Amino acid sequence: MADERDPGPEPRISAFGDAAVLASFGDEPDPALTELAAALAGAVDAERVGSPTIGRAVPAHASVVVPFDPLLIDAADAIAFVTEAARHAADRSTAPPTGNLVEIPVRYGSEDGPDLDEVADAHGLRPDDVVELHAGARYRVLFLGFAPGFAYLGGLPPELATPRRPSPRERVPAGSVGIAGAHTGVYPLSMPGGWNLIGRTDVRLFDPSRPDPAALRPGATVRFVPAR
């Protein structure tokens, strides 16, 4: 039987400055478009292995920037490379997460998760229900943004989707686990932020001294484990 899945819209692909290609699926944040952007970034990175001309893809909400070395490849060939990668990306956007599994232990509630009770009240749940739902899901790293190493994770149970706080905190401790809209994520550094904080981990997700500073990369699978 033929596969009748809708592969979604095709990206608009064009030069982005003198040394990058931009592939855009739309102008508005949309979880489906974010999945398409992550799939395209994964396809680009899979096909560029061993190539000195194409850099690592940088996905965002509904777009992907692909850097290239203009001394080794011209813009037309770089655009053709991204266009070809887009043809192979449709299956990635509909397949279950297949990236490396990263397990992150989390201390939920109390001082580590000061907004846990508010999130529970907003949805008519008990705090333990929020923990069970949050830790029971598997998440996919969609893209990095906002701050170095800050991974936006898709796959949050819809029962937990919660708007950002009306007033951001001046300081959120590194390792804080939060919810904002349909995403969850971990603050890799101490910084201001407006996500709803439900827990905290001691795992260091961003370390500039490492060869790859960010512990979470687009396409990886994440599971939160309640710390005992």
Side-chain angles (χ1 to χ4, degrees), residues 92-130:
R92 290 175 177 266
S93 65
T94 53
T98 57
N100 296 331
L101 175 62
V102 180
E103 293 190 339
I104 299 177
V106 178
R107 300 183 301 273
Y108 286 96
S110 189
E111 294 181 357
D112 292 313
D115 301 327
L116 178 62
D117 289 347
E118 289 186 23
V119 171
D121 289 342
H123 300 286
L125 300 171
R126 300 174 304 159
D128 286 349
D129 296 331
V130 174

PDB file of all heavy atoms in Angstrom, residues 92-130:
ATOM      1  N   ARG A  92      12.382  12.024   7.609  1.00  0.00           N
ATOM      2  CA  ARG A  92      12.905  12.374   8.928  1.00  0.00           C
ATOM      3  C   ARG A  92      11.883  13.135   9.754  1.00  0.00           C
ATOM      4  O   ARG A  92      11.852  13.030  10.975  1.00  0.00           O
ATOM      5  CB  ARG A  92      14.167  13.231   8.787  1.00  0.00           C
ATOM      6  CG  ARG A  92      15.367  12.496   8.253  1.00  0.00           C
ATOM      7  CD  ARG A  92      16.530  13.445   8.043  1.00  0.00           C
ATOM      8  NE  ARG A  92      17.712  12.741   7.603  1.00  0.00           N
ATOM      9  CZ  ARG A  92      18.667  12.309   8.410  1.00  0.00           C
ATOM     10  NH1 ARG A  92      18.557  12.524   9.710  1.00  0.00           N
ATOM     11  NH2 ARG A  92      19.716  11.672   7.951  1.00  0.00           N
ATOM     12  N   SER A  93      11.015  13.916   9.107  1.00  0.00           N
ATOM     13  CA  SER A  93      10.067  14.736   9.849  1.00  0.00           C
ATOM     14  C   SER A  93       8.888  13.947  10.381  1.00  0.00           C
ATOM     15  O   SER A  93       8.181  14.405  11.262  1.00  0.00           O
ATOM     16  CB  SER A  93       9.542  15.877   8.951  1.00  0.00           C
ATOM     17  OG  SER A  93       8.802  15.356   7.878  1.00  0.00           O
ATOM     18  N   THR A  94       8.665  12.727   9.836  1.00  0.00           N
ATOM     19  CA  THR A  94       7.524  11.937  10.275  1.00  0.00           C
ATOM     20  C   THR A  94       7.943  10.690  11.047  1.00  0.00           C
ATOM     21  O   THR A  94       7.123  10.038  11.673  1.00  0.00           O
ATOM     22  CB  THR A  94       6.664  11.517   9.068  1.00  0.00           C
ATOM     23  OG1 THR A  94       7.511  10.881   8.104  1.00  0.00           O
ATOM     24  CG2 THR A  94       6.005  12.718   8.428  1.00  0.00           C
ATOM     25  N   ALA A  95       9.232  10.359  11.000  1.00  0.00           N
ATOM     26  CA  ALA A  95       9.714   9.182  11.717  1.00  0.00           C
ATOM     27  C   ALA A  95       9.894   9.494  13.188  1.00  0.00           C
ATOM     28  O   ALA A  95      10.097  10.638  13.576  1.00  0.00           O
ATOM     29  CB  ALA A  95      11.047   8.714  11.130  1.00  0.00           C
ATOM     30  N   PRO A  96       9.808   8.464  14.068  1.00  0.00           N
ATOM     31  CA  PRO A  96      10.081   8.695  15.484  1.00  0.00           C
ATOM     32  C   PRO A  96      11.531   9.096  15.691  1.00  0.00           C
ATOM     33  O   PRO A  96      12.382   8.816  14.849  1.00  0.00           O
ATOM     34  CB  PRO A  96       9.763   7.331  16.133  1.00  0.00           C
ATOM     35  CG  PRO A  96       9.696   6.363  15.037  1.00  0.00           C
ATOM     36  CD  PRO A  96       9.452   7.089  13.767  1.00  0.00           C
ATOM     37  N   PRO A  97      11.830   9.775  16.802  1.00  0.00           N
ATOM     38  CA  PRO A  97      13.203  10.189  17.056  1.00  0.00           C
ATOM     39  C   PRO A  97      14.166   9.006  17.038  1.00  0.00           C
ATOM     40  O   PRO A  97      13.890   7.962  17.616  1.00  0.00           O
ATOM     41  CB  PRO A  97      13.133  10.823  18.443  1.00  0.00           C
ATOM     42  CG  PRO A  97      11.707  11.243  18.603  1.00  0.00           C
ATOM     43  CD  PRO A  97      10.910  10.221  17.854  1.00  0.00           C
ATOM     44  N   THR A  98      15.313   9.186  16.354  1.00  0.00           N
ATOM     45  CA  THR A  98      16.292   8.110  16.256  1.00  0.00           C
ATOM     46  C   THR A  98      17.669   8.559  16.714  1.00  0.00           C
ATOM     47  O   THR A  98      18.632   7.820  16.581  1.00  0.00           O
ATOM     48  CB  THR A  98      16.377   7.591  14.810  1.00  0.00           C
ATOM     49  OG1 THR A  98      16.704   8.680  13.938  1.00  0.00           O
ATOM     50  CG2 THR A  98      15.074   6.968  14.378  1.00  0.00           C
ATOM     51  N   GLY A  99      17.794   9.786  17.216  1.00  0.00           N
ATOM     52  CA  GLY A  99      19.105  10.289  17.626  1.00  0.00           C
ATOM     53  C   GLY A  99      19.557   9.634  18.916  1.00  0.00           C
ATOM     54  O   GLY A  99      18.874   8.791  19.510  1.00  0.00           O
ATOM     55  N   ASN A 100      20.739   9.997  19.354  1.00  0.00           N
ATOM     56  CA  ASN A 100      21.285   9.457  20.592  1.00  0.00           C
ATOM     57  C   ASN A 100      20.355   9.774  21.757  1.00  0.00           C
ATOM     58  O   ASN A 100      19.837  10.876  21.858  1.00  0.00           O
ATOM     59  CB  ASN A 100      22.668  10.052  20.860  1.00  0.00           C
ATOM     60  CG  ASN A 100      23.675   9.651  19.796  1.00  0.00           C
ATOM     61  OD1 ASN A 100      23.555   8.579  19.206  1.00  0.00           O
ATOM     62  ND2 ASN A 100      24.657  10.500  19.556  1.00  0.00           N
ATOM     63  N   LEU A 101      20.185   8.802  22.652  1.00  0.00           N
ATOM     64  CA  LEU A 101      19.341   9.002  23.827  1.00  0.00           C
ATOM     65  C   LEU A 101      20.175   9.605  24.938  1.00  0.00           C
ATOM     66  O   LEU A 101      21.218   9.067  25.316  1.00  0.00           O
ATOM     67  CB  LEU A 101      18.727   7.680  24.286  1.00  0.00           C
ATOM     68  CG  LEU A 101      17.922   7.732  25.587  1.00  0.00           C
ATOM     69  CD1 LEU A 101      16.729   8.662  25.441  1.00  0.00           C
ATOM     70  CD2 LEU A 101      17.481   6.340  25.996  1.00  0.00           C
ATOM     71  N   VAL A 102      19.719  10.740  25.464  1.00  0.00           N
ATOM     72  CA  VAL A 102      20.370  11.400  26.585  1.00  0.00           C
ATOM     73  C   VAL A 102      19.401  11.381  27.762  1.00  0.00           C
ATOM     74  O   VAL A 102      18.290  11.904  27.660  1.00  0.00           O
ATOM     75  CB  VAL A 102      20.748  12.852  26.238  1.00  0.00           C
ATOM     76  CG1 VAL A 102      21.425  13.525  27.430  1.00  0.00           C
ATOM     77  CG2 VAL A 102      21.655  12.897  25.010  1.00  0.00           C
ATOM     78  N   GLU A 103      19.803  10.771  28.861  1.00  0.00           N
ATOM     79  CA  GLU A 103      18.972  10.730  30.058  1.00  0.00           C
ATOM     80  C   GLU A 103      19.455  11.804  31.030  1.00  0.00           C
ATOM     81  O   GLU A 103      20.659  11.894  31.318  1.00  0.00           O
ATOM     82  CB  GLU A 103      19.012   9.347  30.703  1.00  0.00           C
ATOM     83  CG  GLU A 103      18.357   8.267  29.846  1.00  0.00           C
ATOM     84  CD  GLU A 103      18.194   6.961  30.607  1.00  0.00           C
ATOM     85  OE1 GLU A 103      18.914   6.757  31.601  1.00  0.00           O
ATOM     86  OE2 GLU A 103      17.343   6.157  30.199  1.00  0.00           O
ATOM     87  N   ILE A 104      18.516  12.598  31.513  1.00  0.00           N
ATOM     88  CA  ILE A 104      18.850  13.716  32.386  1.00  0.00           C
ATOM     89  C   ILE A 104      18.129  13.546  33.721  1.00  0.00           C
ATOM     90  O   ILE A 104      16.896  13.617  33.774  1.00  0.00           O
ATOM     91  CB  ILE A 104      18.449  15.057  31.739  1.00  0.00           C
ATOM     92  CG1 ILE A 104      19.203  15.242  30.415  1.00  0.00           C
ATOM     93  CG2 ILE A 104      18.728  16.219  32.683  1.00  0.00           C
ATOM     94  CD1 ILE A 104      18.816  16.498  29.671  1.00  0.00           C
ATOM     95  N   PRO A 105      18.851  13.312  34.811  1.00  0.00           N
ATOM     96  CA  PRO A 105      18.203  13.203  36.127  1.00  0.00           C
ATOM     97  C   PRO A 105      17.730  14.580  36.595  1.00  0.00           C
ATOM     98  O   PRO A 105      18.437  15.586  36.429  1.00  0.00           O
ATOM     99  CB  PRO A 105      19.311  12.653  37.031  1.00  0.00           C
ATOM    100  CG  PRO A 105      20.582  13.079  36.358  1.00  0.00           C
ATOM    101  CD  PRO A 105      20.313  13.097  34.882  1.00  0.00           C
ATOM    102  N   VAL A 106      16.540  14.625  37.164  1.00  0.00           N
ATOM    103  CA  VAL A 106      15.931  15.897  37.565  1.00  0.00           C
ATOM    104  C   VAL A 106      15.378  15.786  38.975  1.00  0.00           C
ATOM    105  O   VAL A 106      14.714  14.811  39.332  1.00  0.00           O
ATOM    106  CB  VAL A 106      14.778  16.289  36.604  1.00  0.00           C
ATOM    107  CG1 VAL A 106      14.122  17.595  37.059  1.00  0.00           C
ATOM    108  CG2 VAL A 106      15.273  16.413  35.183  1.00  0.00           C
ATOM    109  N   ARG A 107      15.649  16.804  39.781  1.00  0.00           N
ATOM    110  CA  ARG A 107      14.992  16.964  41.080  1.00  0.00           C
ATOM    111  C   ARG A 107      13.789  17.862  40.849  1.00  0.00           C
ATOM    112  O   ARG A 107      13.931  19.063  40.567  1.00  0.00           O
ATOM    113  CB  ARG A 107      15.949  17.594  42.099  1.00  0.00           C
ATOM    114  CG  ARG A 107      17.213  16.778  42.363  1.00  0.00           C
ATOM    115  CD  ARG A 107      18.071  17.445  43.449  1.00  0.00           C
ATOM    116  NE  ARG A 107      18.462  18.798  43.066  1.00  0.00           N
ATOM    117  CZ  ARG A 107      19.535  19.098  42.343  1.00  0.00           C
ATOM    118  NH1 ARG A 107      20.325  18.129  41.890  1.00  0.00           N
ATOM    119  NH2 ARG A 107      19.823  20.355  42.055  1.00  0.00           N
ATOM    120  N   TYR A 108      12.603  17.304  40.941  1.00  0.00           N
ATOM    121  CA  TYR A 108      11.380  18.052  40.661  1.00  0.00           C
ATOM    122  C   TYR A 108      10.869  18.748  41.924  1.00  0.00           C
ATOM    123  O   TYR A 108      10.947  18.210  43.030  1.00  0.00           O
ATOM    124  CB  TYR A 108      10.290  17.122  40.132  1.00  0.00           C
ATOM    125  CG  TYR A 108      10.493  16.662  38.700  1.00  0.00           C
ATOM    126  CD1 TYR A 108      11.091  15.438  38.418  1.00  0.00           C
ATOM    127  CD2 TYR A 108      10.061  17.447  37.627  1.00  0.00           C
ATOM    128  CE1 TYR A 108      11.255  15.003  37.109  1.00  0.00           C
ATOM    129  CE2 TYR A 108      10.229  17.023  36.321  1.00  0.00           C
ATOM    130  CZ  TYR A 108      10.822  15.799  36.067  1.00  0.00           C
ATOM    131  OH  TYR A 108      10.986  15.379  34.764  1.00  0.00           O
ATOM    132  N   GLY A 109      10.308  19.943  41.736  1.00  0.00           N
ATOM    133  CA  GLY A 109       9.608  20.636  42.799  1.00  0.00           C
ATOM    134  C   GLY A 109      10.509  21.287  43.824  1.00  0.00           C
ATOM    135  O   GLY A 109      11.725  21.377  43.664  1.00  0.00           O
ATOM    136  N   SER A 110       9.879  21.796  44.888  1.00  0.00           N
ATOM    137  CA  SER A 110      10.557  22.469  45.995  1.00  0.00           C
ATOM    138  C   SER A 110      11.375  23.635  45.452  1.00  0.00           C
ATOM    139  O   SER A 110      10.968  24.305  44.512  1.00  0.00           O
ATOM    140  CB  SER A 110      11.424  21.460  46.762  1.00  0.00           C
ATOM    141  OG  SER A 110      11.912  22.048  47.950  1.00  0.00           O
ATOM    142  N   GLU A 111      12.558  23.900  46.019  1.00  0.00           N
ATOM    143  CA  GLU A 111      13.376  25.023  45.581  1.00  0.00           C
ATOM    144  C   GLU A 111      13.921  24.817  44.169  1.00  0.00           C
ATOM    145  O   GLU A 111      14.226  25.784  43.465  1.00  0.00           O
ATOM    146  CB  GLU A 111      14.539  25.238  46.556  1.00  0.00           C
ATOM    147  CG  GLU A 111      14.109  25.673  47.949  1.00  0.00           C
ATOM    148  CD  GLU A 111      15.298  25.895  48.859  1.00  0.00           C
ATOM    149  OE1 GLU A 111      16.444  25.641  48.403  1.00  0.00           O
ATOM    150  OE2 GLU A 111      15.085  26.311  50.011  1.00  0.00           O
ATOM    151  N   ASP A 112      14.039  23.572  43.760  1.00  0.00           N
ATOM    152  CA  ASP A 112      14.549  23.287  42.419  1.00  0.00           C
ATOM    153  C   ASP A 112      13.487  23.502  41.340  1.00  0.00           C
ATOM    154  O   ASP A 112      13.841  23.733  40.176  1.00  0.00           O
ATOM    155  CB  ASP A 112      15.061  21.846  42.341  1.00  0.00           C
ATOM    156  CG  ASP A 112      16.298  21.637  43.192  1.00  0.00           C
ATOM    157  OD1 ASP A 112      17.218  22.468  43.098  1.00  0.00           O
ATOM    158  OD2 ASP A 112      16.340  20.643  43.951  1.00  0.00           O
ATOM    159  N   GLY A 113      12.225  23.416  41.700  1.00  0.00           N
ATOM    160  CA  GLY A 113      11.144  23.603  40.734  1.00  0.00           C
ATOM    161  C   GLY A 113      10.055  24.471  41.323  1.00  0.00           C
ATOM    162  O   GLY A 113       8.950  23.977  41.623  1.00  0.00           O
ATOM    163  N   PRO A 114      10.315  25.766  41.499  1.00  0.00           N
ATOM    164  CA  PRO A 114       9.374  26.627  42.231  1.00  0.00           C
ATOM    165  C   PRO A 114       8.030  26.827  41.547  1.00  0.00           C
ATOM    166  O   PRO A 114       7.085  27.276  42.201  1.00  0.00           O
ATOM    167  CB  PRO A 114      10.134  27.956  42.334  1.00  0.00           C
ATOM    168  CG  PRO A 114      11.103  27.944  41.196  1.00  0.00           C
ATOM    169  CD  PRO A 114      11.510  26.516  41.053  1.00  0.00           C
ATOM    170  N   ASP A 115       7.919  26.491  40.252  1.00  0.00           N
ATOM    171  CA  ASP A 115       6.648  26.691  39.552  1.00  0.00           C
ATOM    172  C   ASP A 115       5.863  25.395  39.353  1.00  0.00           C
ATOM    173  O   ASP A 115       4.833  25.390  38.675  1.00  0.00           O
ATOM    174  CB  ASP A 115       6.895  27.332  38.172  1.00  0.00           C
ATOM    175  CG  ASP A 115       7.599  28.671  38.277  1.00  0.00           C
ATOM    176  OD1 ASP A 115       7.347  29.386  39.267  1.00  0.00           O
ATOM    177  OD2 ASP A 115       8.396  28.995  37.375  1.00  0.00           O
ATOM    178  N   LEU A 116       6.333  24.312  39.943  1.00  0.00           N
ATOM    179  CA  LEU A 116       5.666  23.024  39.740  1.00  0.00           C
ATOM    180  C   LEU A 116       4.211  23.072  40.187  1.00  0.00           C
ATOM    181  O   LEU A 116       3.311  22.623  39.470  1.00  0.00           O
ATOM    182  CB  LEU A 116       6.412  21.917  40.482  1.00  0.00           C
ATOM    183  CG  LEU A 116       5.789  20.515  40.402  1.00  0.00           C
ATOM    184  CD1 LEU A 116       5.752  20.022  38.973  1.00  0.00           C
ATOM    185  CD2 LEU A 116       6.570  19.536  41.283  1.00  0.00           C
ATOM    186  N   ASP A 117       3.959  23.627  41.370  1.00  0.00           N
ATOM    187  CA  ASP A 117       2.586  23.675  41.869  1.00  0.00           C
ATOM    188  C   ASP A 117       1.700  24.545  40.980  1.00  0.00           C
ATOM    189  O   ASP A 117       0.534  24.205  40.734  1.00  0.00           O
ATOM    190  CB  ASP A 117       2.565  24.212  43.306  1.00  0.00           C
ATOM    191  CG  ASP A 117       3.142  23.216  44.308  1.00  0.00           C
ATOM    192  OD1 ASP A 117       3.317  22.040  43.942  1.00  0.00           O
ATOM    193  OD2 ASP A 117       3.430  23.628  45.452  1.00  0.00           O
ATOM    194  N   GLU A 118       2.240  25.662  40.483  1.00  0.00           N
ATOM    195  CA  GLU A 118       1.443  26.535  39.616  1.00  0.00           C
ATOM    196  C   GLU A 118       1.096  25.845  38.305  1.00  0.00           C
ATOM    197  O   GLU A 118      -0.025  25.975  37.795  1.00  0.00           O
ATOM    198  CB  GLU A 118       2.216  27.832  39.339  1.00  0.00           C
ATOM    199  CG  GLU A 118       2.315  28.755  40.539  1.00  0.00           C
ATOM    200  CD  GLU A 118       2.955  30.084  40.176  1.00  0.00           C
ATOM    201  OE1 GLU A 118       2.918  30.452  38.981  1.00  0.00           O
ATOM    202  OE2 GLU A 118       3.499  30.746  41.072  1.00  0.00           O
ATOM    203  N   VAL A 119       2.047  25.128  37.742  1.00  0.00           N
ATOM    204  CA  VAL A 119       1.776  24.391  36.506  1.00  0.00           C
ATOM    205  C   VAL A 119       0.698  23.344  36.762  1.00  0.00           C
ATOM    206  O   VAL A 119      -0.236  23.173  35.959  1.00  0.00           O
ATOM    207  CB  VAL A 119       3.060  23.737  35.965  1.00  0.00           C
ATOM    208  CG1 VAL A 119       2.739  22.783  34.812  1.00  0.00           C
ATOM    209  CG2 VAL A 119       4.047  24.806  35.510  1.00  0.00           C
ATOM    210  N   ALA A 120       0.802  22.646  37.885  1.00  0.00           N
ATOM    211  CA  ALA A 120      -0.207  21.632  38.212  1.00  0.00           C
ATOM    212  C   ALA A 120      -1.585  22.272  38.371  1.00  0.00           C
ATOM    213  O   ALA A 120      -2.573  21.781  37.809  1.00  0.00           O
ATOM    214  CB  ALA A 120       0.202  20.902  39.490  1.00  0.00           C
ATOM    215  N   ASP A 121      -1.670  23.386  39.109  1.00  0.00           N
ATOM    216  CA  ASP A 121      -2.952  24.057  39.321  1.00  0.00           C
ATOM    217  C   ASP A 121      -3.550  24.551  38.001  1.00  0.00           C
ATOM    218  O   ASP A 121      -4.773  24.497  37.806  1.00  0.00           O
ATOM    219  CB  ASP A 121      -2.774  25.244  40.278  1.00  0.00           C
ATOM    220  CG  ASP A 121      -2.496  24.808  41.701  1.00  0.00           C
ATOM    221  OD1 ASP A 121      -2.766  23.629  42.021  1.00  0.00           O
ATOM    222  OD2 ASP A 121      -2.021  25.639  42.502  1.00  0.00           O
ATOM    223  N   ALA A 122      -2.703  25.032  37.103  1.00  0.00           N
ATOM    224  CA  ALA A 122      -3.194  25.564  35.832  1.00  0.00           C
ATOM    225  C   ALA A 122      -3.884  24.508  34.993  1.00  0.00           C
ATOM    226  O   ALA A 122      -4.737  24.822  34.151  1.00  0.00           O
ATOM    227  CB  ALA A 122      -2.039  26.183  35.043  1.00  0.00           C
ATOM    228  N   HIS A 123      -3.543  23.242  35.215  1.00  0.00           N
ATOM    229  CA  HIS A 123      -4.113  22.168  34.407  1.00  0.00           C
ATOM    230  C   HIS A 123      -4.996  21.213  35.213  1.00  0.00           C
ATOM    231  O   HIS A 123      -5.396  20.170  34.701  1.00  0.00           O
ATOM    232  CB  HIS A 123      -2.984  21.377  33.741  1.00  0.00           C
ATOM    233  CG  HIS A 123      -2.124  22.207  32.836  1.00  0.00           C
ATOM    234  ND1 HIS A 123      -2.540  22.651  31.602  1.00  0.00           N
ATOM    235  CD2 HIS A 123      -0.869  22.708  33.001  1.00  0.00           C
ATOM    236  CE1 HIS A 123      -1.576  23.363  31.029  1.00  0.00           C
ATOM    237  NE2 HIS A 123      -0.567  23.418  31.858  1.00  0.00           N
ATOM    238  N   GLY A 124      -5.290  21.596  36.452  1.00  0.00           N
ATOM    239  CA  GLY A 124      -6.126  20.735  37.278  1.00  0.00           C
ATOM    240  C   GLY A 124      -5.466  19.414  37.615  1.00  0.00           C
ATOM    241  O   GLY A 124      -6.146  18.384  37.737  1.00  0.00           O
ATOM    242  N   LEU A 125      -4.138  19.431  37.789  1.00  0.00           N
ATOM    243  CA  LEU A 125      -3.385  18.218  38.079  1.00  0.00           C
ATOM    244  C   LEU A 125      -2.743  18.314  39.448  1.00  0.00           C
ATOM    245  O   LEU A 125      -2.641  19.389  40.039  1.00  0.00           O
ATOM    246  CB  LEU A 125      -2.289  18.018  37.026  1.00  0.00           C
ATOM    247  CG  LEU A 125      -2.739  17.872  35.571  1.00  0.00           C
ATOM    248  CD1 LEU A 125      -1.515  17.904  34.655  1.00  0.00           C
ATOM    249  CD2 LEU A 125      -3.518  16.583  35.374  1.00  0.00           C
ATOM    250  N   ARG A 126      -2.278  17.196  39.952  1.00  0.00           N
ATOM    251  CA  ARG A 126      -1.436  17.182  41.139  1.00  0.00           C
ATOM    252  C   ARG A 126       0.017  17.367  40.697  1.00  0.00           C
ATOM    253  O   ARG A 126       0.376  17.004  39.572  1.00  0.00           O
ATOM    254  CB  ARG A 126      -1.577  15.863  41.889  1.00  0.00           C
ATOM    255  CG  ARG A 126      -2.976  15.519  42.389  1.00  0.00           C
ATOM    256  CD  ARG A 126      -2.969  14.119  42.974  1.00  0.00           C
ATOM    257  NE  ARG A 126      -2.473  13.153  41.980  1.00  0.00           N
ATOM    258  CZ  ARG A 126      -1.985  11.957  42.283  1.00  0.00           C
ATOM    259  NH1 ARG A 126      -1.895  11.576  43.544  1.00  0.00           N
ATOM    260  NH2 ARG A 126      -1.565  11.145  41.327  1.00  0.00           N
ATOM    261  N   PRO A 127       0.876  17.906  41.554  1.00  0.00           N
ATOM    262  CA  PRO A 127       2.292  17.999  41.191  1.00  0.00           C
ATOM    263  C   PRO A 127       2.885  16.658  40.766  1.00  0.00           C
ATOM    264  O   PRO A 127       3.680  16.599  39.821  1.00  0.00           O
ATOM    265  CB  PRO A 127       2.953  18.530  42.462  1.00  0.00           C
ATOM    266  CG  PRO A 127       1.868  19.338  43.119  1.00  0.00           C
ATOM    267  CD  PRO A 127       0.593  18.580  42.839  1.00  0.00           C
ATOM    268  N   ASP A 128       2.493  15.584  41.445  1.00  0.00           N
ATOM    269  CA  ASP A 128       3.005  14.257  41.063  1.00  0.00           C
ATOM    270  C   ASP A 128       2.563  13.880  39.650  1.00  0.00           C
ATOM    271  O   ASP A 128       3.291  13.169  38.931  1.00  0.00           O
ATOM    272  CB  ASP A 128       2.532  13.189  42.048  1.00  0.00           C
ATOM    273  CG  ASP A 128       3.267  13.264  43.389  1.00  0.00           C
ATOM    274  OD1 ASP A 128       4.278  13.994  43.465  1.00  0.00           O
ATOM    275  OD2 ASP A 128       2.824  12.598  44.342  1.00  0.00           O
ATOM    276  N   ASP A 129       1.370  14.326  39.245  1.00  0.00           N
ATOM    277  CA  ASP A 129       0.904  14.047  37.886  1.00  0.00           C
ATOM    278  C   ASP A 129       1.787  14.749  36.862  1.00  0.00           C
ATOM    279  O   ASP A 129       2.115  14.185  35.810  1.00  0.00           O
ATOM    280  CB  ASP A 129      -0.545  14.518  37.707  1.00  0.00           C
ATOM    281  CG  ASP A 129      -1.529  13.774  38.587  1.00  0.00           C
ATOM    282  OD1 ASP A 129      -1.265  12.595  38.904  1.00  0.00           O
ATOM    283  OD2 ASP A 129      -2.553  14.380  38.977  1.00  0.00           O
ATOM    284  N   VAL A 130       2.160  16.001  37.169  1.00  0.00           N
ATOM    285  CA  VAL A 130       3.025  16.754  36.262  1.00  0.00           C
ATOM    286  C   VAL A 130       4.365  16.036  36.112  1.00  0.00           C
ATOM    287  O   VAL A 130       4.884  15.872  34.994  1.00  0.00           O
ATOM    288  CB  VAL A 130       3.238  18.190  36.774  1.00  0.00           C
ATOM    289  CG1 VAL A 130       4.264  18.917  35.910  1.00  0.00           C
ATOM    290  CG2 VAL A 130       1.920  18.946  36.795  1.00  0.00           C
TER     291      VAL A 130
END
